Amino acid sequence: MEPIIHLENITKIYNEKSDPLKALDDISLDIQKGDIYGIIGMSGAGKSTLVRCINLLERPTSGRVIVRGKDMQALSNRELRRERTEISMIFQHFNLLMQKNVEDNICFPLYINKVKKADARKRCAELLEIVGLSDKAKAYPSQLSGGQRQRVAIARALATNPKILLCDEATSALDPQTTTSILSLLKEINARYGITIVIITHEMAVVREICTHVAIVDNGRIVEKGTVDDIFDSPKTEEAKKLVLYRRNRDVTIAEGGEGI
Amino acid sequence: MKKTTKILSLVLTSILLAGAVSGCGSTENAESPAPAQNNKTAAEAPAENTESKGTIKIAASPTPHAEILEQAKPILAKQGYDLDIVEFEDYVQPNLVVESGEFDANYVEHVPYLESFNEEQGTHLVNVGGIHYEPFGIYPGKESDLSAISDGAVIAVPNDTTNEARALLLLQDNGLIKLADGAGLTATVNDIVENPHNLEIQELEAAQVSRVKDEVAFVVLNGNYALEAGLSVGKDAVAYEKSDSEAAKTYVNVIVVKEGNENNEGVKALVDVLKSDDIFNYINDTYDGAVIPFK
Amino acid sequence: MILSSGFDWSVFTPKVNQMIVDGVWETLYMTLVSTLMGYVLGLPLGIVLAVTGEKGIAPNKAVYGVLDFIVNITRSIPFLILLILVSPITKLIVGKSYGSSATVVPLVIAAAPFIARMVEGSIQEVDKGVIEAAQSMGADNFTIITRVLIVEAKTSLIVGVTIALGTILGYSAMAGIVGGGGLGDIAIRYGYYRYDMEIMVVTIVILVFLVQIMQYIGMALSKLTDKRRIK
């Protein structure tokens, strides 16, 4: 089956002229429809750059990005913007419009897609129902907790019925309990709507909790990839072992802290 | 570029000075003669039998004051006085250096300024003789006949204290308006009590007045700004301050010394020379009406 | 020293009172109209600066370089000089080179680049993450400018308006040079030149009052519209 996301020999070099920095080094990755794909690595490993190459918020220096069968780099700006409505994204710091209330935030992608206001409001109500914040439509982000804000961000991301959801450290700013609830929400969304989810994280617990597949990124390269079960059971490379082992120890402490995995 | 810079600096200087000073402007500061050297003069002085009676050190504005003094210098040299002229661009230092005794006299200001300076600074400076005045003139703008001025016409005048008052007094002398009794040297538009032609008096920064010439009926300018605008009192003004007018008597530029030195021989000789026909003729011939000798 | 000589109310003749009342209107007229026009020019200019800047959403060295240069040049010229330099333009636009309306032209020219810089600063403060989020939703730059940048910078922009009003009101004190009138001019000419302490004190008190009101309204508005903090 053709993968929904196909990354081929992706290399990204910053400051090519003055002080070159290779963020991504010849990365190839296939993600199938319906996967919950974890990309894990230490901070600075290049995973945030990698995920932004999928929706071209970052343009790779070389390599090919094929999403939903389309050669992303070949699209015009207008086509790219259209395609981005199929690839939603949520962020570590939620990135909500702080001057707008929850409803306006969720309706924003619908406004971009020229959805009529009344229809947008209706869709917003549905989404709030899904994320369990029906009573917060008129609240401002500053009045919400971190977990609630991420729920708003997820509702916003789902507004346009995307096929792919990119999560950039979406739970890193949250406490363990909230992390769990957000992860189960993502899991539910994946199961209910068949949305492919790509999760960037530095927390092995997150991968273990919901991912079907995982790629370990180190120094801009993928050192190992496969199903979560395979990698955890028999890590092959040093980096994978280190990460799995290190994370295992840490997971224990997190679990003891009440994460309840 | 160079010209622009010069215009800019002129404009700026004018604006800065106009507030504090009246009537004692300069036209070409940059090119005015440098203060003469003491020794040189002594050496050049006729070596006849005139015995040296000492040096008269005088602070002066560059134009026309220092220029006039340069004419007096050889005459005084014949009488045995060495006139040492030092130019000042401002109007405060010349008074302070005379008060302190560093200079014997100055030639920069008119009586009202001198009096207010004495009052504010507590100095003891006195007027020993009026030499010249720089007459205000009414210059034509959109209209040229004062006697047929249209109703509601706009007349631009300078907006700083003395210049405005002088302009208003000149308008009054020409029967255009009437000022409240005693308004005198500090008159403002608020002191106008009769305005038969319903004139609109537009107050502007002194340097700006000439620039609106084409937009208003008449402009009232003091000498140096008229010169800068290329206007001549003699040829262009439809009216100007006569030498017997109140304004001329008031705004005559005077020689100033410290109290007690009024009868100093050197000072007397200086004033006598400056009031001589030689100097009068020089002033009349040189300044084309923009500077008028005071009798 | 002058204060000790006592406050002489008799200088406030009907004519002087009328002059002060006119001055209030002239000051308000010059300040408000110039600020408004200043924003008509300065707001788009500031947005373009922020957008085309190195860290903007559409970096463009050429456009930014030219605008940045123009803004710097204009901001470096002392207002006094500007007032006189632009008088031919003033005459072209307003029809005459003296009076309150004539002052508006140089005020706008002085204010627009200054406003542009403040707008640029306000927009640069907007969280890059929110911009990225909008981009990830497929928003075009125009939508990002109108629906993200301006919206999120709202509070800072309103504070900027308050600062601009105060600054332009200060500039307007020099309006007297071209016969623009206003309270600042009265304070300078009657208070400073003529030592009319009473008139100076009254006009300055009114000026302070005006600035305070503007400041108060501006700050209240910015607080009222700021949803970033929990109330």
Side-chain angles (χ1 to χ4, degrees), chain C:
Chain C
M1 108 192 149
I2 307 174
L3 270 180
S4 62
S5 61
F7 210 83
D8 179 12
W9 289 101
S10 69
V11 301
F12 293 100
T13 62
K15 272 191 174 173
V16 170
N17 291 339
Q18 187 56 46
M19 174 179 78
I20 292 174
V21 171
D22 290 346
V24 172
W25 288 117
E26 283 156 0
T27 293
L28 285 177
Y29 169 74
M30 289 186 288
T31 306
L32 297 178
V33 173
S34 304
T35 307
L36 184 74
M37 302 298 292
Y39 268 90
V40 169
L41 293 177
L43 185 67
L45 185 57
I47 291 171
V48 173
L49 279 171
V51 165
T52 58
E54 202 182 339
K55 296 199 167 126
I57 53 174
N60 185 321
K61 267 196 183 141
V63 173
Y64 184 84
V66 169
L67 294 182
D68 183 60
F69 183 69
I70 293 173
V71 164
N72 283 345
I73 292 264
T74 326
R75 288 199 66 195
S76 322
I77 303 175
F79 180 63
L80 205 65
I81 308 284
L82 202 65
L83 199 61
I84 294 154
L85 274 185
V86 302
S87 80
I89 303 172
T90 306
K91 203 171 163 185
L92 217 68
I93 298 174
V94 187
K96 58 181 194 175
S97 60
Y98 62 91
S100 297
S101 296
T103 317
V104 169
V105 176
L107 277 175
V108 169
I109 293 174
F114 158 75
I115 289 169
R117 277 285 181 241
M118 285 201 305
V119 169
E120 184 190 8
S122 295
I123 286 177
Q124 279 170 344
E125 283 168 29
V126 173
D127 183 5
K128 298 284 173 287
V130 183
I131 298 168
E132 191 179 39
Q135 285 170 331
S136 78
M137 291 172 211
D140 56 26
N141 285 342
F142 183 76
T143 305
I144 293 177
I145 291 167
T146 53
R147 298 279 160 163
V148 178
L149 297 182
I150 293 178
V151 169
E152 290 294 284
K154 188 171 57 181
T155 304
S156 172
L157 288 171
I158 293 173
V159 173
V161 173
T162 311
I163 297 171
L165 280 170
T167 308
I168 292 168
L169 187 134
Y171 279 162
S172 79
M174 277 181 260
I177 288 170
V178 294
L183 290 173
D185 179 45
I186 295 173
I188 291 172
R189 285 174 43 217
Y190 287 83
Y192 180 63
Y193 288 172
R194 284 178 226 265
Y195 306 100
D196 263 341
M197 199 59 192
E198 292 81 3
I199 293 179
M200 180 162 79
V201 168
V202 166
T203 48
I204 286 176
V205 165
I206 298 174
L207 276 172
V208 169
F209 185 69
L210 288 180
V211 172
Q212 284 293 331
I213 291 181
M214 288 174 184
Q215 184 81 10
Y216 176 81
I217 294 176
M219 289 302 152
L221 258 178
S222 78
K223 256 195 204 137
L224 199 73
T225 58
D226 190 3
K227 309 295 186 188
R228 292 172 301 179
R229 270 174 231 101
I230 303 168
K231 289 195 195 88

Side-chain angles (χ1 to χ4, degrees), chain A residues 1-72:
Chain A
M1 187 173 110
E2 193 191 345
I4 191 166
I5 299 170
H6 172 72
L7 302 179
E8 195 179 305
N9 309 112
I10 299 291
T11 296
K12 173 74 184 181
I13 300 169
Y14 289 109
N15 300 328
E16 241 179 318
K17 282 166 204 147
S18 50
D19 177 24
L21 177 82
K22 203 177 243 186
L24 299 176
D25 186 3
D26 194 27
I27 284 185
S28 294
L29 194 66
D30 281 338
I31 297 173
Q32 301 296 329
K33 187 170 185 310
D35 280 355
I36 301 184
Y37 207 112
I39 296 173
I40 189 164
M42 307 283 200
S43 61
K47 52 195 192 306
S48 276
T49 307
L50 181 59
V51 76
R52 280 167 176 73
C53 283
I54 297 173
N55 61 1
L56 289 201
L57 283 178
E58 293 282 2
R59 282 192 181 262
T61 311
S62 64
R64 281 183 3 122
V65 181
I66 312 286
V67 179
R68 302 197 321 132
K70 286 178 188 150
D71 181 348
M72 295 291 278

Side-chain angles (χ1 to χ4, degrees), chain A residues 78-94:
Chain A
R78 180 186 290 269
E79 289 165 334
L80 175 62
R81 286 199 298 271
R82 171 72 197 77
E83 195 55 30
R84 277 177 181 166
T85 64
E86 303 287 349
I87 315 169
S88 284
M89 193 165 183
I90 60 174
F91 306 85
Q92 178 174 5
H93 298 294
F94 328 123

Side-chain angles (χ1 to χ4, degrees), chain B residues 9 30 33-34 40 68 97 118 122 154-155 164 206 213 216 224 228 232 234 257-258 266 268 286 291:
Chain B
S9 69
K40 193 174 154 217
I68 295 170
V97 293
N118 273 334
V154 181
I155 298 183
E164 180 171 356
K213 202 163 87 70
V216 299
N224 57 315
E228 273 168 29
S232 144
V257 300
K258 194 176 178 181
K268 277 179 157 172
T286 311
V291 180

